[in-house]
Amino acid sequence: MAEKNILAYFKSPEEAQHAQRKLQSLRVADMSIDRFSAYPGGELNGPMHPLTGDITSLTSMTQNSALSNRSAGILGAADPSASGMSDGGQDGTQGRDILLTVVLDEGIFDQAMRLIEESGGMV
């Protein structure tokens, strides 16, 4: 049989882990849970001091990103999540930064899709 894959987006790691536990009973070939972001970084990248002006960009302060140059900082600061002036859209993907990747047999694809959606995942 052929293999298929599913990329499902969740709002929390716990939701994704709940779906992962359900999918393990189907004996999928491979699964992983990862967090992703539009900006590099995520950990405390280095000390920033707003009074001395040692700030790469607004994005480095609000998103804790590690941008490589001034142009990237300007582009990142234009994002609604950096300024807080907008919710960023109404497409339903806002806040879904957890990715569950599943590789499985084609025969159990539909069943796996139902389990993921029941667990709060968006495919």
Side-chain angles (χ1 to χ4, degrees):
M1 285 269 227
E3 287 185 340
K4 288 191 121 181
N5 61 52
I6 300 173
L7 300 175
Y9 302 89
F10 291 87
K11 291 185 177 182
S12 72
E14 293 79 22
E15 283 182 346
Q17 290 165 354
H18 182 262
Q20 185 180 37
R21 283 190 297 275
K22 286 183 173 182
L23 291 168
Q24 285 173 340
S25 67
L26 298 178
R27 295 187 220 171
V28 298
D30 194 18
M31 273 190 293
S32 69
I33 297 174
D34 299 293
R35 183 179 296 268
F36 65 92
S37 171
Y39 307 107
E43 300 288 326
L44 185 57
N45 300 315
M48 296 175 290
H49 198 286
L51 297 177
T52 62
D54 187 19
I55 302 169
T56 309
S57 72
L58 174 66
T59 312
S60 65
M61 290 179 60
T62 59
Q63 302 295 320
N64 197 27
S65 65
L67 300 174
S68 58
N69 60 47
R70 183 172 166 80
S71 296
I74 292 168
L75 184 61
D79 189 285
S81 61
S83 68
M85 298 302 288
S86 172
D87 67 356
Q90 304 300 326
D91 63 358
T93 59
Q94 190 70 19
R96 294 184 182 268
D97 63 343
I98 306 297
L99 177 65
L100 171 65
T101 306
V102 184
V103 179
L104 45 80
D105 187 77
E106 191 175 31
I108 58 172
F109 180 78
D110 293 328
Q111 187 178 1
M113 289 288 284
R114 277 192 303 276
L115 288 174
I116 288 169
E117 289 170 354
E118 288 170 2
S119 298
M122 186 179 87
V123 181

mmCIF file of all heavy atoms in Angstrom, residues 6-59:
data_model
loop_
_atom_site.group_PDB
_atom_site.id
_atom_site.type_symbol
_atom_site.label_atom_id
_atom_site.label_comp_id
_atom_site.label_asym_id
_atom_site.label_seq_id
_atom_site.Cartn_x
_atom_site.Cartn_y
_atom_site.Cartn_z
ATOM 1 N N ILE A 6 -0.099 13.724 6.708
ATOM 2 C CA ILE A 6 -1.039 14.710 7.219
ATOM 3 C C ILE A 6 -0.241 15.758 7.985
ATOM 4 O O ILE A 6 0.617 15.423 8.799
ATOM 5 C CB ILE A 6 -2.075 14.064 8.171
ATOM 6 C CG1 ILE A 6 -2.887 12.992 7.458
ATOM 7 C CG2 ILE A 6 -3.004 15.134 8.753
ATOM 8 C CD1 ILE A 6 -3.800 12.194 8.386
ATOM 9 N N LEU A 7 -0.531 17.014 7.729
ATOM 10 C CA LEU A 7 0.007 18.125 8.498
ATOM 11 C C LEU A 7 -1.170 18.758 9.226
ATOM 12 O O LEU A 7 -2.052 19.348 8.594
ATOM 13 C CB LEU A 7 0.682 19.160 7.594
ATOM 14 C CG LEU A 7 1.857 18.657 6.761
ATOM 15 C CD1 LEU A 7 2.353 19.743 5.832
ATOM 16 C CD2 LEU A 7 2.973 18.179 7.651
ATOM 17 N N ALA A 8 -1.214 18.626 10.540
ATOM 18 C CA ALA A 8 -2.322 19.137 11.344
ATOM 19 C C ALA A 8 -1.809 20.200 12.304
ATOM 20 O O ALA A 8 -0.769 20.026 12.937
ATOM 21 C CB ALA A 8 -2.982 17.999 12.114
ATOM 22 N N TYR A 9 -2.565 21.281 12.420
ATOM 23 C CA TYR A 9 -2.172 22.422 13.244
ATOM 24 C C TYR A 9 -3.032 22.482 14.499
ATOM 25 O O TYR A 9 -4.249 22.343 14.441
ATOM 26 C CB TYR A 9 -2.308 23.716 12.434
ATOM 27 C CG TYR A 9 -1.476 23.673 11.187
ATOM 28 C CD1 TYR A 9 -1.994 23.174 10.002
ATOM 29 C CD2 TYR A 9 -0.153 24.084 11.209
ATOM 30 C CE1 TYR A 9 -1.218 23.106 8.854
ATOM 31 C CE2 TYR A 9 0.631 24.015 10.075
ATOM 32 C CZ TYR A 9 0.090 23.528 8.896
ATOM 33 O OH TYR A 9 0.869 23.450 7.778
ATOM 34 N N PHE A 10 -2.368 22.713 15.646
ATOM 35 C CA PHE A 10 -3.047 22.746 16.936
ATOM 36 C C PHE A 10 -2.702 24.028 17.677
ATOM 37 O O PHE A 10 -1.674 24.650 17.412
ATOM 38 C CB PHE A 10 -2.630 21.543 17.788
ATOM 39 C CG PHE A 10 -3.137 20.233 17.275
ATOM 40 C CD1 PHE A 10 -2.415 19.515 16.333
ATOM 41 C CD2 PHE A 10 -4.338 19.708 17.724
ATOM 42 C CE1 PHE A 10 -2.874 18.304 15.842
ATOM 43 C CE2 PHE A 10 -4.808 18.497 17.248
ATOM 44 C CZ PHE A 10 -4.083 17.795 16.306
ATOM 45 N N LYS A 11 -3.531 24.364 18.663
ATOM 46 C CA LYS A 11 -3.305 25.558 19.472
ATOM 47 C C LYS A 11 -2.413 25.289 20.681
ATOM 48 O O LYS A 11 -1.857 26.216 21.245
ATOM 49 C CB LYS A 11 -4.637 26.136 19.945
ATOM 50 C CG LYS A 11 -5.439 26.729 18.805
ATOM 51 C CD LYS A 11 -6.682 27.406 19.304
ATOM 52 C CE LYS A 11 -7.409 28.051 18.132
ATOM 53 N NZ LYS A 11 -8.595 28.761 18.555
ATOM 54 N N SER A 12 -2.284 24.024 21.083
ATOM 55 C CA SER A 12 -1.440 23.718 22.237
ATOM 56 C C SER A 12 -0.756 22.361 22.041
ATOM 57 O O SER A 12 -1.279 21.496 21.334
ATOM 58 C CB SER A 12 -2.274 23.686 23.527
ATOM 59 O OG SER A 12 -3.083 22.536 23.559
ATOM 60 N N PRO A 13 0.393 22.177 22.672
ATOM 61 C CA PRO A 13 1.070 20.883 22.596
ATOM 62 C C PRO A 13 0.220 19.754 23.179
ATOM 63 O O PRO A 13 0.259 18.628 22.695
ATOM 64 C CB PRO A 13 2.338 21.085 23.421
ATOM 65 C CG PRO A 13 2.557 22.537 23.502
ATOM 66 C CD PRO A 13 1.198 23.163 23.403
ATOM 67 N N GLU A 14 -0.582 20.071 24.202
ATOM 68 C CA GLU A 14 -1.424 19.049 24.832
ATOM 69 C C GLU A 14 -2.467 18.514 23.853
ATOM 70 O O GLU A 14 -2.735 17.307 23.837
ATOM 71 C CB GLU A 14 -2.110 19.614 26.081
ATOM 72 C CG GLU A 14 -1.159 19.938 27.219
ATOM 73 C CD GLU A 14 -0.410 21.260 27.029
ATOM 74 O OE1 GLU A 14 -0.879 22.126 26.263
ATOM 75 O OE2 GLU A 14 0.671 21.404 27.633
ATOM 76 N N GLU A 15 -3.064 19.401 23.043
ATOM 77 C CA GLU A 15 -4.029 18.950 22.032
ATOM 78 C C GLU A 15 -3.358 18.012 21.037
ATOM 79 O O GLU A 15 -3.908 16.977 20.668
ATOM 80 C CB GLU A 15 -4.617 20.135 21.270
ATOM 81 C CG GLU A 15 -5.662 20.918 21.989
ATOM 82 C CD GLU A 15 -6.221 22.038 21.125
ATOM 83 O OE1 GLU A 15 -5.621 22.378 20.080
ATOM 84 O OE2 GLU A 15 -7.274 22.590 21.493
ATOM 85 N N ALA A 16 -2.161 18.392 20.587
ATOM 86 C CA ALA A 16 -1.432 17.568 19.619
ATOM 87 C C ALA A 16 -1.036 16.226 20.225
ATOM 88 O O ALA A 16 -1.120 15.189 19.559
ATOM 89 C CB ALA A 16 -0.200 18.321 19.117
ATOM 90 N N GLN A 17 -0.627 16.220 21.483
ATOM 91 C CA GLN A 17 -0.252 14.968 22.149
ATOM 92 C C GLN A 17 -1.470 14.060 22.338
ATOM 93 O O GLN A 17 -1.353 12.838 22.228
ATOM 94 C CB GLN A 17 0.413 15.266 23.492
ATOM 95 C CG GLN A 17 1.783 15.880 23.328
ATOM 96 C CD GLN A 17 2.301 16.515 24.605
ATOM 97 O OE1 GLN A 17 1.597 16.611 25.605
ATOM 98 N NE2 GLN A 17 3.550 16.973 24.561
ATOM 99 N N HIS A 18 -2.624 14.662 22.580
ATOM 100 C CA HIS A 18 -3.865 13.881 22.701
ATOM 101 C C HIS A 18 -4.156 13.179 21.376
ATOM 102 O O HIS A 18 -4.479 11.985 21.344
ATOM 103 C CB HIS A 18 -5.016 14.804 23.110
ATOM 104 C CG HIS A 18 -6.307 14.098 23.296
ATOM 105 N ND1 HIS A 18 -7.275 14.058 22.321
ATOM 106 C CD2 HIS A 18 -6.796 13.398 24.342
ATOM 107 C CE1 HIS A 18 -8.302 13.359 22.757
ATOM 108 N NE2 HIS A 18 -8.034 12.948 23.988
ATOM 109 N N ALA A 19 -4.032 13.913 20.277
ATOM 110 C CA ALA A 19 -4.240 13.317 18.953
ATOM 111 C C ALA A 19 -3.186 12.252 18.675
ATOM 112 O O ALA A 19 -3.492 11.192 18.116
ATOM 113 C CB ALA A 19 -4.194 14.392 17.881
ATOM 114 N N GLN A 20 -1.947 12.502 19.087
ATOM 115 C CA GLN A 20 -0.868 11.545 18.868
ATOM 116 C C GLN A 20 -1.148 10.222 19.575
ATOM 117 O O GLN A 20 -0.945 9.154 18.997
ATOM 118 C CB GLN A 20 0.453 12.145 19.355
ATOM 119 C CG GLN A 20 1.662 11.278 19.072
ATOM 120 C CD GLN A 20 2.946 11.922 19.580
ATOM 121 O OE1 GLN A 20 2.957 12.563 20.622
ATOM 122 N NE2 GLN A 20 4.009 11.755 18.818
ATOM 123 N N ARG A 21 -1.641 10.298 20.801
ATOM 124 C CA ARG A 21 -1.966 9.069 21.540
ATOM 125 C C ARG A 21 -3.062 8.271 20.827
ATOM 126 O O ARG A 21 -2.998 7.044 20.739
ATOM 127 C CB ARG A 21 -2.382 9.400 22.975
ATOM 128 C CG ARG A 21 -1.215 9.738 23.871
ATOM 129 C CD ARG A 21 -1.623 9.828 25.334
ATOM 130 N NE ARG A 21 -2.580 10.881 25.606
ATOM 131 C CZ ARG A 21 -2.262 12.160 25.839
ATOM 132 N NH1 ARG A 21 -0.984 12.521 25.824
ATOM 133 N NH2 ARG A 21 -3.194 13.041 26.100
ATOM 134 N N LYS A 22 -4.068 8.969 20.309
ATOM 135 C CA LYS A 22 -5.137 8.287 19.575
ATOM 136 C C LYS A 22 -4.606 7.642 18.295
ATOM 137 O O LYS A 22 -4.987 6.537 17.939
ATOM 138 C CB LYS A 22 -6.245 9.273 19.201
ATOM 139 C CG LYS A 22 -7.115 9.695 20.343
ATOM 140 C CD LYS A 22 -8.208 10.620 19.824
ATOM 141 C CE LYS A 22 -9.224 10.947 20.872
ATOM 142 N NZ LYS A 22 -10.307 11.796 20.341
ATOM 143 N N LEU A 23 -3.705 8.346 17.615
ATOM 144 C CA LEU A 23 -3.176 7.844 16.347
ATOM 145 C C LEU A 23 -2.236 6.653 16.534
ATOM 146 O O LEU A 23 -2.089 5.835 15.629
ATOM 147 C CB LEU A 23 -2.458 8.964 15.591
ATOM 148 C CG LEU A 23 -3.357 10.068 15.040
ATOM 149 C CD1 LEU A 23 -2.533 11.248 14.583
ATOM 150 C CD2 LEU A 23 -4.217 9.539 13.903
ATOM 151 N N GLN A 24 -1.599 6.543 17.685
ATOM 152 C CA GLN A 24 -0.697 5.419 17.928
ATOM 153 C C GLN A 24 -1.427 4.088 17.858
ATOM 154 O O GLN A 24 -0.847 3.080 17.473
ATOM 155 C CB GLN A 24 0.002 5.581 19.280
ATOM 156 C CG GLN A 24 1.094 6.619 19.246
ATOM 157 C CD GLN A 24 1.681 6.908 20.618
ATOM 158 O OE1 GLN A 24 1.066 6.634 21.642
ATOM 159 N NE2 GLN A 24 2.874 7.479 20.621
ATOM 160 N N SER A 25 -2.709 4.093 18.181
ATOM 161 C CA SER A 25 -3.484 2.854 18.099
ATOM 162 C C SER A 25 -3.704 2.406 16.647
ATOM 163 O O SER A 25 -3.998 1.251 16.393
ATOM 164 C CB SER A 25 -4.831 3.022 18.802
ATOM 165 O OG SER A 25 -5.633 3.951 18.103
ATOM 166 N N LEU A 26 -3.548 3.338 15.704
ATOM 167 C CA LEU A 26 -3.687 3.000 14.279
ATOM 168 C C LEU A 26 -2.392 2.473 13.673
ATOM 169 O O LEU A 26 -2.364 2.074 12.518
ATOM 170 C CB LEU A 26 -4.146 4.227 13.479
ATOM 171 C CG LEU A 26 -5.504 4.811 13.836
ATOM 172 C CD1 LEU A 26 -5.765 6.050 12.980
ATOM 173 C CD2 LEU A 26 -6.605 3.795 13.646
ATOM 174 N N ARG A 27 -1.331 2.507 14.446
ATOM 175 C CA ARG A 27 -0.011 2.049 13.992
ATOM 176 C C ARG A 27 0.474 2.840 12.763
ATOM 177 O O ARG A 27 0.728 2.269 11.710
ATOM 178 C CB ARG A 27 -0.016 0.567 13.690
ATOM 179 C CG ARG A 27 -0.253 -0.254 14.929
ATOM 180 C CD ARG A 27 -0.079 -1.693 14.644
ATOM 181 N NE ARG A 27 -1.130 -2.410 15.364
ATOM 182 C CZ ARG A 27 -1.378 -3.672 15.209
ATOM 183 N NH1 ARG A 27 -0.687 -4.382 14.363
ATOM 184 N NH2 ARG A 27 -2.334 -4.242 15.892
ATOM 185 N N VAL A 28 0.599 4.135 12.945
ATOM 186 C CA VAL A 28 1.109 4.984 11.874
ATOM 187 C C VAL A 28 2.610 4.737 11.690
ATOM 188 O O VAL A 28 3.287 4.256 12.599
ATOM 189 C CB VAL A 28 0.836 6.476 12.170
ATOM 190 C CG1 VAL A 28 -0.655 6.738 12.259
ATOM 191 C CG2 VAL A 28 1.535 6.943 13.420
ATOM 192 N N ALA A 29 3.126 5.073 10.514
ATOM 193 C CA ALA A 29 4.540 4.835 10.217
ATOM 194 C C ALA A 29 5.454 5.788 10.985
ATOM 195 O O ALA A 29 6.503 5.390 11.486
ATOM 196 C CB ALA A 29 4.785 4.962 8.720
ATOM 197 N N ASP A 30 5.054 7.073 11.090
ATOM 198 C CA ASP A 30 5.900 8.049 11.756
ATOM 199 C C ASP A 30 5.048 9.242 12.184
ATOM 200 O O ASP A 30 4.088 9.603 11.495
ATOM 201 C CB ASP A 30 7.020 8.508 10.822
ATOM 202 C CG ASP A 30 8.126 9.254 11.540
ATOM 203 O OD1 ASP A 30 8.229 9.140 12.780
ATOM 204 O OD2 ASP A 30 8.893 9.958 10.864
ATOM 205 N N MET A 31 5.415 9.861 13.313
ATOM 206 C CA MET A 31 4.727 11.050 13.817
ATOM 207 C C MET A 31 5.728 11.950 14.508
ATOM 208 O O MET A 31 6.684 11.483 15.113
ATOM 209 C CB MET A 31 3.660 10.673 14.858
ATOM 210 C CG MET A 31 2.334 10.333 14.311
ATOM 211 S SD MET A 31 1.090 10.183 15.606
ATOM 212 C CE MET A 31 1.623 8.747 16.499
ATOM 213 N N SER A 32 5.465 13.262 14.443
ATOM 214 C CA SER A 32 6.267 14.210 15.204
ATOM 215 C C SER A 32 5.428 15.442 15.534
ATOM 216 O O SER A 32 4.501 15.779 14.807
ATOM 217 C CB SER A 32 7.527 14.619 14.451
ATOM 218 O OG SER A 32 7.197 15.403 13.327
ATOM 219 N N ILE A 33 5.767 16.085 16.652
ATOM 220 C CA ILE A 33 5.115 17.315 17.076
ATOM 221 C C ILE A 33 6.192 18.384 17.181
ATOM 222 O O ILE A 33 7.220 18.180 17.827
ATOM 223 C CB ILE A 33 4.409 17.141 18.434
ATOM 224 C CG1 ILE A 33 3.295 16.098 18.325
ATOM 225 C CG2 ILE A 33 3.844 18.478 18.918
ATOM 226 C CD1 ILE A 33 2.628 15.761 19.649
ATOM 227 N N ASP A 34 5.944 19.526 16.528
ATOM 228 C CA ASP A 34 6.908 20.627 16.530
ATOM 229 C C ASP A 34 6.182 21.947 16.702
ATOM 230 O O ASP A 34 5.037 22.090 16.312
ATOM 231 C CB ASP A 34 7.685 20.663 15.210
ATOM 232 C CG ASP A 34 8.481 19.409 14.970
ATOM 233 O OD1 ASP A 34 9.430 19.174 15.721
ATOM 234 O OD2 ASP A 34 8.131 18.658 14.037
ATOM 235 N N ARG A 35 6.881 22.921 17.245
ATOM 236 C CA ARG A 35 6.373 24.296 17.316
ATOM 237 C C ARG A 35 7.109 25.101 16.246
ATOM 238 O O ARG A 35 8.303 24.926 16.050
ATOM 239 C CB ARG A 35 6.636 24.910 18.687
ATOM 240 C CG ARG A 35 6.067 26.327 18.833
ATOM 241 C CD ARG A 35 6.340 26.895 20.221
ATOM 242 N NE ARG A 35 5.685 26.156 21.264
ATOM 243 C CZ ARG A 35 4.477 26.420 21.754
ATOM 244 N NH1 ARG A 35 3.773 27.414 21.270
ATOM 245 N NH2 ARG A 35 3.972 25.694 22.737
ATOM 246 N N PHE A 36 6.387 25.963 15.565
ATOM 247 C CA PHE A 36 7.014 26.774 14.526
ATOM 248 C C PHE A 36 6.645 28.241 14.716
ATOM 249 O O PHE A 36 5.701 28.573 15.429
ATOM 250 C CB PHE A 36 6.617 26.290 13.127
ATOM 251 C CG PHE A 36 5.156 26.437 12.821
ATOM 252 C CD1 PHE A 36 4.683 27.576 12.201
ATOM 253 C CD2 PHE A 36 4.261 25.438 13.163
ATOM 254 C CE1 PHE A 36 3.330 27.719 11.936
ATOM 255 C CE2 PHE A 36 2.913 25.570 12.895
ATOM 256 C CZ PHE A 36 2.446 26.717 12.274
ATOM 257 N N SER A 37 7.415 29.109 14.082
ATOM 258 C CA SER A 37 7.189 30.545 14.177
ATOM 259 C C SER A 37 7.614 31.202 12.873
ATOM 260 O O SER A 37 8.460 30.675 12.143
ATOM 261 C CB SER A 37 8.018 31.113 15.330
ATOM 262 O OG SER A 37 7.969 32.523 15.321
ATOM 263 N N ALA A 38 7.050 32.355 12.604
ATOM 264 C CA ALA A 38 7.435 33.114 11.415
ATOM 265 C C ALA A 38 8.799 33.771 11.590
ATOM 266 O O ALA A 38 9.413 34.206 10.622
ATOM 267 C CB ALA A 38 6.387 34.184 11.117
ATOM 268 N N TYR A 39 9.262 33.839 12.825
ATOM 269 C CA TYR A 39 10.519 34.519 13.114
ATOM 270 C C TYR A 39 11.522 33.562 13.723
ATOM 271 O O TYR A 39 11.162 32.716 14.528
ATOM 272 C CB TYR A 39 10.271 35.673 14.100
ATOM 273 C CG TYR A 39 9.191 36.596 13.625
ATOM 274 C CD1 TYR A 39 7.954 36.595 14.240
ATOM 275 C CD2 TYR A 39 9.398 37.433 12.544
ATOM 276 C CE1 TYR A 39 6.945 37.429 13.796
ATOM 277 C CE2 TYR A 39 8.398 38.263 12.092
ATOM 278 C CZ TYR A 39 7.176 38.260 12.719
ATOM 279 O OH TYR A 39 6.180 39.078 12.270
ATOM 280 N N PRO A 40 12.807 33.720 13.373
ATOM 281 C CA PRO A 40 13.827 32.893 14.012
ATOM 282 C C PRO A 40 14.007 33.310 15.459
ATOM 283 O O PRO A 40 13.690 34.424 15.838
ATOM 284 C CB PRO A 40 15.087 33.189 13.191
ATOM 285 C CG PRO A 40 14.839 34.519 12.576
ATOM 286 C CD PRO A 40 13.354 34.628 12.386
ATOM 287 N N GLY A 41 14.492 32.416 16.266
ATOM 288 C CA GLY A 41 14.716 32.728 17.671
ATOM 289 C C GLY A 41 13.795 31.917 18.545
ATOM 290 O O GLY A 41 13.589 30.736 18.328
ATOM 291 N N GLY A 42 13.195 32.575 19.515
ATOM 292 C CA GLY A 42 12.266 31.895 20.403
ATOM 293 C C GLY A 42 12.789 31.768 21.809
ATOM 294 O O GLY A 42 12.049 31.834 22.765
ATOM 295 N N GLU A 43 14.068 31.576 21.954
ATOM 296 C CA GLU A 43 14.707 31.572 23.264
ATOM 297 C C GLU A 43 15.177 32.996 23.536
ATOM 298 O O GLU A 43 15.141 33.854 22.669
ATOM 299 C CB GLU A 43 15.921 30.625 23.256
ATOM 300 C CG GLU A 43 15.576 29.195 22.929
ATOM 301 C CD GLU A 43 14.848 28.510 24.066
ATOM 302 O OE1 GLU A 43 15.138 28.807 25.226
ATOM 303 O OE2 GLU A 43 13.983 27.686 23.774
ATOM 304 N N LEU A 44 15.627 33.248 24.747
ATOM 305 C CA LEU A 44 16.176 34.557 25.035
ATOM 306 C C LEU A 44 17.477 34.694 24.254
ATOM 307 O O LEU A 44 18.465 34.027 24.532
ATOM 308 C CB LEU A 44 16.424 34.719 26.533
ATOM 309 C CG LEU A 44 16.901 36.094 26.967
ATOM 310 C CD1 LEU A 44 15.901 37.167 26.537
ATOM 311 C CD2 LEU A 44 17.090 36.137 28.461
ATOM 312 N N ASN A 45 17.468 35.544 23.243
ATOM 313 C CA ASN A 45 18.576 35.623 22.293
ATOM 314 C C ASN A 45 19.737 36.476 22.776
ATOM 315 O O ASN A 45 20.823 36.390 22.272
ATOM 316 C CB ASN A 45 18.070 36.168 20.964
ATOM 317 C CG ASN A 45 17.010 35.276 20.385
ATOM 318 O OD1 ASN A 45 17.166 34.072 20.378
ATOM 319 N ND2 ASN A 45 15.924 35.857 19.928
ATOM 320 N N GLY A 46 19.505 37.335 23.696
ATOM 321 C CA GLY A 46 20.560 38.196 24.194
ATOM 322 C C GLY A 46 19.928 39.363 24.932
ATOM 323 O O GLY A 46 18.754 39.670 24.730
ATOM 324 N N PRO A 47 20.695 40.013 25.761
ATOM 325 C CA PRO A 47 20.112 41.109 26.518
ATOM 326 C C PRO A 47 19.757 42.284 25.606
ATOM 327 O O PRO A 47 20.505 42.621 24.691
ATOM 328 C CB PRO A 47 21.216 41.480 27.510
ATOM 329 C CG PRO A 47 22.465 40.962 26.915
ATOM 330 C CD PRO A 47 22.083 39.785 26.068
ATOM 331 N N MET A 48 18.606 42.875 25.872
ATOM 332 C CA MET A 48 18.181 44.067 25.141
ATOM 333 C C MET A 48 17.950 45.156 26.177
ATOM 334 O O MET A 48 17.402 44.889 27.250
ATOM 335 C CB MET A 48 16.882 43.802 24.387
ATOM 336 C CG MET A 48 16.997 42.766 23.314
ATOM 337 S SD MET A 48 15.409 42.414 22.568
ATOM 338 C CE MET A 48 14.577 41.567 23.900
ATOM 339 N N HIS A 49 18.357 46.346 25.852
ATOM 340 C CA HIS A 49 18.178 47.430 26.801
ATOM 341 C C HIS A 49 17.516 48.604 26.084
ATOM 342 O O HIS A 49 18.160 49.327 25.334
ATOM 343 C CB HIS A 49 19.530 47.850 27.384
ATOM 344 C CG HIS A 49 19.380 48.634 28.631
ATOM 345 N ND1 HIS A 49 18.959 49.944 28.658
ATOM 346 C CD2 HIS A 49 19.561 48.274 29.918
ATOM 347 C CE1 HIS A 49 18.911 50.369 29.889
ATOM 348 N NE2 HIS A 49 19.274 49.372 30.680
ATOM 349 N N PRO A 50 16.207 48.815 26.304
ATOM 350 C CA PRO A 50 15.484 49.872 25.600
ATOM 351 C C PRO A 50 16.005 51.278 25.872
ATOM 352 O O PRO A 50 15.905 52.145 25.026
ATOM 353 C CB PRO A 50 14.049 49.738 26.101
ATOM 354 C CG PRO A 50 13.968 48.455 26.812
ATOM 355 C CD PRO A 50 15.347 48.037 27.156
ATOM 356 N N LEU A 51 16.594 51.528 27.037
ATOM 357 C CA LEU A 51 17.070 52.869 27.357
ATOM 358 C C LEU A 51 18.340 53.240 26.605
ATOM 359 O O LEU A 51 18.554 54.399 26.283
ATOM 360 C CB LEU A 51 17.290 53.008 28.863
ATOM 361 C CG LEU A 51 16.034 52.855 29.726
ATOM 362 C CD1 LEU A 51 16.381 52.932 31.199
ATOM 363 C CD2 LEU A 51 15.006 53.900 29.370
ATOM 364 N N THR A 52 19.187 52.274 26.332
ATOM 365 C CA THR A 52 20.435 52.567 25.629
ATOM 366 C C THR A 52 20.284 52.481 24.114
ATOM 367 O O THR A 52 21.198 52.833 23.388
ATOM 368 C CB THR A 52 21.546 51.589 26.059
ATOM 369 O OG1 THR A 52 21.152 50.265 25.693
ATOM 370 C CG2 THR A 52 21.804 51.667 27.540
ATOM 371 N N GLY A 53 19.138 51.978 23.657
ATOM 372 C CA GLY A 53 18.926 51.870 22.216
ATOM 373 C C GLY A 53 19.493 50.604 21.621
ATOM 374 O O GLY A 53 19.595 50.472 20.406
ATOM 375 N N ASP A 54 19.878 49.666 22.454
ATOM 376 C CA ASP A 54 20.437 48.407 21.969
ATOM 377 C C ASP A 54 19.295 47.447 21.616
ATOM 378 O O ASP A 54 19.105 46.419 22.238
ATOM 379 C CB ASP A 54 21.350 47.800 23.032
ATOM 380 C CG ASP A 54 22.087 46.581 22.517
ATOM 381 O OD1 ASP A 54 22.182 46.417 21.292
ATOM 382 O OD2 ASP A 54 22.557 45.799 23.363
ATOM 383 N N ILE A 55 18.519 47.837 20.594
ATOM 384 C CA ILE A 55 17.366 47.051 20.162
ATOM 385 C C ILE A 55 17.484 46.849 18.656
ATOM 386 O O ILE A 55 17.629 47.805 17.909
ATOM 387 C CB ILE A 55 16.047 47.785 20.467
ATOM 388 C CG1 ILE A 55 15.950 48.089 21.954
ATOM 389 C CG2 ILE A 55 14.858 46.973 19.986
ATOM 390 C CD1 ILE A 55 14.828 49.035 22.295
ATOM 391 N N THR A 56 17.427 45.613 18.217
ATOM 392 C CA THR A 56 17.512 45.320 16.793
ATOM 393 C C THR A 56 16.271 45.809 16.072
ATOM 394 O O THR A 56 16.356 46.437 15.029
ATOM 395 C CB THR A 56 17.675 43.808 16.563
ATOM 396 O OG1 THR A 56 18.741 43.336 17.368
ATOM 397 C CG2 THR A 56 17.946 43.509 15.121
ATOM 398 N N SER A 57 15.092 45.502 16.619
ATOM 399 C CA SER A 57 13.829 45.911 16.009
ATOM 400 C C SER A 57 12.699 45.727 17.004
ATOM 401 O O SER A 57 12.881 45.116 18.059
ATOM 402 C CB SER A 57 13.549 45.084 14.756
ATOM 403 O OG SER A 57 13.187 43.768 15.116
ATOM 404 N N LEU A 58 11.538 46.223 16.644
ATOM 405 C CA LEU A 58 10.352 46.006 17.467
ATOM 406 C C LEU A 58 10.076 44.513 17.605
ATOM 407 O O LEU A 58 9.675 44.035 18.663
ATOM 408 C CB LEU A 58 9.143 46.710 16.833
ATOM 409 C CG LEU A 58 7.794 46.476 17.495
ATOM 410 C CD1 LEU A 58 7.791 47.080 18.896
ATOM 411 C CD2 LEU A 58 6.687 47.074 16.656
ATOM 412 N N THR A 59 10.330 43.768 16.546
ATOM 413 C CA THR A 59 10.089 42.330 16.555
ATOM 414 C C THR A 59 10.984 41.619 17.565
ATOM 415 O O THR A 59 10.569 40.655 18.190
ATOM 416 C CB THR A 59 10.306 41.743 15.153
ATOM 417 O OG1 THR A 59 9.617 42.549 14.215
ATOM 418 C CG2 THR A 59 9.811 40.335 15.056
#
